[in-house]
Structures are given as C-alpha cells and as structure tokens.
C-alpha cells in the first residue's frame, strides 16, 4: 500500500529531529523538552491541549505542525465533530488564508480515519 | 473606582463596532455573524472554544482579541489553572514574541479576578 | 503536454475542497460562501478585488492563495503590467521575505500567458 | 476642536520620520524612496494602489499603516463603498483577528468624512 | 524630568512580569528561563545575539520586544551605525510594514543616547 | 551523486529570478538591488548580517529564505556553533512553530558540511 501523507511526514520528521539533536546546543535541547511538557495532562486534558496546539498551528499556517497535532488529537480520541469545530474556530480567527492548510488538515485526518477503518 | 483595562476596552469596542455596522456592507455583516456562530456550544463546549480563540489570539498577538477571549473564558467558568495552561501552550507555540501579550493577558485576567472578589 | 503548476494546483484544490465539504460544519460552509461573496462586482470591480486578494495573499505569503488569485486576475482581464504593479506593492509592503512567493507568482502568471498564446 | 486620531498620528509620524532620517544609512533612505515609488500612477491608478496598500496593511494588522493608507485613499477620491469593499476583502482573507484593526480603520475614515463635511 | 518611553516601558514590564510569575505554571517559568539563556555569551557574543533578537522583533513587529532589545544592545556597547545596519536588514526583510516599528525603535535609541549624554 | 536540497533550490531560484526580471517593473528591480545592498560589509560584518537575515527568515518561517542565508553564512565562514546559536535565538523568539523550518535549516547546513568534507 502506498505510504500516505502522515507516514512520510512522520518518517521525515524523525530523521530531521535526529539531525537537529546532533547539532543542538543546550537552548535548543531545552526548548524541545519544554515543547513536550506543555501538552501534558493538567487542569486541561491533553486532548484539549492538542486541540489548542492544532488551532494555533492552523492560524499560524504551518502544515507540518497541523499534521503533527492532527495525529495527536486522533491519538487522544478527538472525534471528527470536535476536530472540525476546532478547525472552524481557526478558520474564522485566521481567515481564508488558512484554507489551503485547512484542506491539508482534513486530508491528514481523513487518511487517519481510513487507516483506522482498515485495522 | 478607576475604570480598569477591561472596562475601557469593552466600551471602546462597543462604540467602534457600532461605527463598523454603520459603514458595513453585507460581507462585513455576515462575517460578524459567523464570528459569533463559531464559538457556540457543539461537540466542543463554548468554554473550550473560547480557550481555542484565546490561544489563537495570543499566537497571532492581538491584544484586543486576547482581552475579549479572556473575558469570555472567565464568563464560561474557566479556572486560573486552565487559563494559564492554555496560555502556556500559546507561549511555547508562538515563542517569546508573545510575552508582552501574555503579560497583558494576565493583567486582564487578574483584573477580572479582583472584580469578582469585590462583588 | 506536461501539466503545469496551475493545472496540478487546480485539481488538488478541487479534490481537497470536496473532502473539506464532506467533513464541514455549518461555520466552515458559511465561511466558504462568504469567501465567494467578497470578490463579487460592487463599488469595486471584481478585477480590482482579485488584485486586492492577490496582494493580501502575497504579503501573508500563501503560495496556494497567490496562485488562485493569479488565475482569477487573468480571467478578469488583468494585464501583465497591472499584475506586476500590484505584486510590487506587495513586495514593498511585505519585504524580501515575499520574494520566493513573488517568484512562484510570476511563474504561474507566465504559465497562463504561455497557455493563452498556444490557444 | 480636539485633535482627532488622524491629526495626532500624522504629527507623530512626521516627527519620528525626521528622527529616522537623522540616523538612516543608505539602505534605509533608499527603502523610503522605493516606498513612495510603489504607489505612483502607472498601469494601475494611484487610488487602486492605495487600496492595495490598505488591504495589505489590514491583513498584516498594522494600525499606523492602515491609518496612513486610509488618508491616502480619501485623498485619491475613494468612496465609502469602495473603501468598505476593500476592507471586506481584507477581513475575509485575514479573519476575525483583523477586526480590531478594521474598527480603527473605520474610525479614521469616519473622522476624515466628518472633517470634510465641516469644511 | 519627564519619564521617557524607555523608563515607562521598563516599569510596566517589571510590574507585569511579577504578575505573570504569580500565575505562572512550570512551563511558563521554564520558558522565561530559556529566554534568558538564549542570549548568553557563547560562540556568538551577547551583543550579536541581542542584535539578532532585535531584528527578529522588528520583522515580527513587536514594539515591546524591539524596545527591550534596543536597551540590551545599548548596554552591550552596540554603536549607532551597528544598530542602524541591523534595523536596515530587518526593514528590507520585513518590508514597509515594519516602518512604524522602525520609527519607534529609533525613538527609543535616541532617548537612550540623550540620556547617556546627560550623565 | 544525487543533487541535494541546496543544489535544486539554487537552480530553481536562478531560473525563477530570471523570469521575475523579465516581467519586473522599476520598483521590483530596485527592490532586488536594495536586497543585495543591505548585506554588504559595513559597521557590521557581512557574516553578522547574514546571521541577522537567517534569524529573520526563521522567525518569519520562510524555507527558501532560510536556505539562502544558510548558504551565505557558510560562505562567510560561520561555524556550526555560531549557526546553531543564531537558530536558537530564532527558536526562542519564534516558538515551536519554527521547528519544522529549523529542521530544514539544519538539513541544509549538514548537506553543505558534507559537501565541504568531500572536496
């Protein structure tokens, strides 16, 4: 079966994160640690935090970040309706300039859903 | 008692929204309607959606939008811990450039809390 | 003849917009409607509005949006001189960070012009 | 009569531009020259170019730039309907995050209209 | 003597940073620590890093961040010529939309220079 | 040997810049001239200016601009430690949203280093 957008993204991300760690100074390493910490369960659930990260990524229009948080939202059990409502907030806040990223967000989500159905 | 940052913001916002409606064409009017609709209760609660709007506003660094969503989050019963965790996601996603806006977000939140305690 | 950047963009855009509509809630659907309405002839001609959309897309640095408005500007009869002057405003407002997008804007425009000449 | 938002903006802008020129190197000076050149009449009228500059400024959310182009649009004879339609394109492209800037754009426009009526 | 833009900014920044620390969770606190660490002397001097922070702040158009780094650059012994050349890089990269922030950057720098001359 | 990310970027950049010059008006041409001038040796060395351009490009999240400045930094003799410290400032200022671009920056740098070692 052909590798989808999620699979190729995940492999490339892992390969390049290793390269970043090879060159990283302490500031970069600590930033990576902080980036994990921010999404841990707390007063807000990790699912809610991943939705926050998703909307932030959509309005800042970063496809890789959107894809990453789509995978995390799916892993935390977000439903399609929850995902779309979060993306809709991002669309209204960020405007039509986010639409190309919204399209690719939905494509990634749809690919994850198809993969689940095939399991 | 001196009017705080929230009160003067709310009055100015209302005054200027009336002026916008005076000049608005149909597109502007429909956008305002859509902006209300996006935050209604659905698969995600209105509180969660206001937190999404808050984080989107923080990473896009719009003080007025941040203030608006701080007021809405407070009205929807968000706790200080929930608010800070949402802002922390925004800070990590958006970087130190968001710090001046984070400062003013916390100032607005603190003012709302002080007002509640005085009731 | 090999499909150019415009053709492959248009096909992908259509495929993914259908997927968006499959998942869309009412907010997303209404946003799509509003996005069409904003560019209709009014006090400003549709051509001028497409140029406005083009410059907005350039300074916000969205390649897909730039390509979309380039096609619309061409369809509304914008000349090469008009297009370049609009892009020049965007370049001065948005700075050298827009140059990679300016390059791809001109590539899309050139492809459309070549296609017209071959008709 | 109290000085409005336009008057105080124009005075402050002039004062600080003189200070910039005092410190400016050749790059900064040439940039200022280029910034004037981009809006001259050409294939597109200066009025259209000022509308392009206005929409670019709105989606990039710069109040001072918005105010500057509002004054120029008014000076070039743009009508209220033309102005609002241009702002509506910016609102749809840039999303609700532009609304605080849209409000202040309309305030500046309204002040200019009131001043004209009093002449 | 009237307090200048630098003095009032520094006082307000300190007051609000204390408020942030009052509400901060661990993520926010660690981010503040990282923000200090990134500018320490290393392979690049602290002066160069402050110039990097200044240009990053200018192109992202954050007045408070620009003011902060202007003060740090001055404290690290940057000359007026160095400062202007750094700002000129930011102006060319970020475009005319940065000009209002450039103006206020130069105002803050000029105020610091005047203060030095009066010592 | 397979062409790397740097080689294909450089070829594409040159091809499209020629196309831009074919269509360019005077404003666009003068902007290109200004863009070269801003990085010349002055009070700050060209190496420092390229690092400034790199950090500005990272926080504005433009892959092509990042790649361009990575090549220039390498040509001006920047060390790996200097490069990483500059990127770390950009990461802290710009937040986790810059990480995908940081990854590709490091990939480009690593490719240049491998090429040097093979000479």
């Amino acid at each position: 079966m052909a590798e989808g957008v999620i699979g190729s993204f995940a492999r490339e991300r892992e390969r390049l994160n290793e390269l970043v760690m090879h060159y990283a100074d302490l500031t970069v390493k600590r930033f990576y640690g902080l980036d994990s910490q921010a999404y841990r369960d707390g007063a807000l659930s990790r699912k809610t935090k991943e939705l926050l990260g998703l909307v932030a990524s959509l309005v800042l229009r970063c496809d890789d970040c959107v894809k990453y948080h789509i995978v995390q939202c799916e892993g935390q059990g977000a439903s399609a309706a929850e995902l779309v409502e979060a993306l809709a907030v991002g669309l209204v806040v960020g405007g039509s300039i986010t639409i190309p990223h919204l399209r690719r967000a939905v494509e990634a989500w749809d690919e994850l859903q198809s993969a689940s159905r095939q399991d």
Side-chain angles (χ1 to χ4, degrees), chain A residues 18 21-23 33 35 57 61 64 67-68 78 84 92 94 98 112 114 117:
Chain A
E18 280 172 25
M21 282 307 119
H22 173 70
Y23 283 102
D35 191 24
S57 300
R61 298 183 287 121
D64 281 6
K67 256 178 233 152
Y68 174 79
V84 167
V92 169
T98 67
L112 286 170
S114 304
R117 283 193 295 271

Side-chain angles (χ1 to χ4, degrees), chain A residues 57-99:
Chain A
S57 300
L58 181 64
V59 298
L60 290 175
R61 298 183 287 121
C62 172
D63 279 335
D64 281 6
C65 310
V66 165
K67 256 178 233 152
Y68 174 79
H69 288 294
I70 288 271
V71 173
Q72 300 308 119
C73 286
E74 209 262 351
Q76 295 299 314
S79 68
E82 289 173 325
L83 195 96
V84 167
E85 290 187 10
L87 293 173
V89 169
L91 173 61
V92 169
V93 172
S96 69
I97 205 81
T98 67
I99 288 181

Side-chain angles (χ1 to χ4, degrees), chain A residues 11-80:
Chain A
R11 270 194 312 113
E12 184 71 356
R13 183 174 174 276
E14 188 179 1
R15 179 179 74 83
L16 292 181
N17 271 345
E18 280 172 25
L19 204 56
V20 169
M21 282 307 119
H22 173 70
Y23 283 102
D25 68 357
L26 189 57
T27 303
V28 172
K29 281 177 183 154
R30 285 182 60 194
F31 195 101
Y32 268 66
L34 200 50
D35 191 24
S36 301
Q37 185 184 314
Y39 296 92
R40 288 197 195 125
D41 277 315
L44 296 173
S45 67
R46 183 159 165 217
K47 187 178 86 173
T48 298
K49 290 184 174 187
E50 293 294 345
L51 289 168
L52 293 172
L54 174 64
V55 171
S57 300
L58 181 64
V59 298
L60 290 175
R61 298 183 287 121
C62 172
D63 279 335
D64 281 6
C65 310
V66 165
K67 256 178 233 152
Y68 174 79
H69 288 294
I70 288 271
V71 173
Q72 300 308 119
C73 286
E74 209 262 351
Q76 295 299 314
S79 68

